[in-house]
Amino acid sequence: MPYVTERWLGGMLTNFNTVRKSVKKMQSIEKMLGDGSFDSITKKSV
């Protein structure tokens, strides 16, 4: 079960769709950093 340990960010309940989209983007960037494909894209495409 997910939980918050430090600071509850504003909009976590009321703006959850935007928060979920940001988390998915962060996960895709972390995946790209892991497999090395992040180095081959331009700055504006991220």
Side-chain angles (χ1 to χ4, degrees):
M1 177 57 87
Y3 56 92
V4 178
T5 59
E6 297 295 322
R7 180 174 175 257
W8 188 263
L9 298 174
M12 287 288 285
L13 296 175
T14 58
N15 202 10
F16 188 71
N17 290 335
T18 304
V19 172
R20 185 177 359 172
K21 187 170 75 170
S22 297
V23 169
K24 284 185 181 183
K25 185 174 182 180
M26 180 189 69
Q27 289 173 338
S28 71
I29 290 173
E30 287 176 347
K31 180 181 172 191
M32 290 169 68
L33 282 171
D35 65 8
S37 64
F38 191 73
D39 297 330
S40 64
I41 60 173
T42 62
K43 188 188 294 187
K44 289 190 176 188
S45 65
V46 175

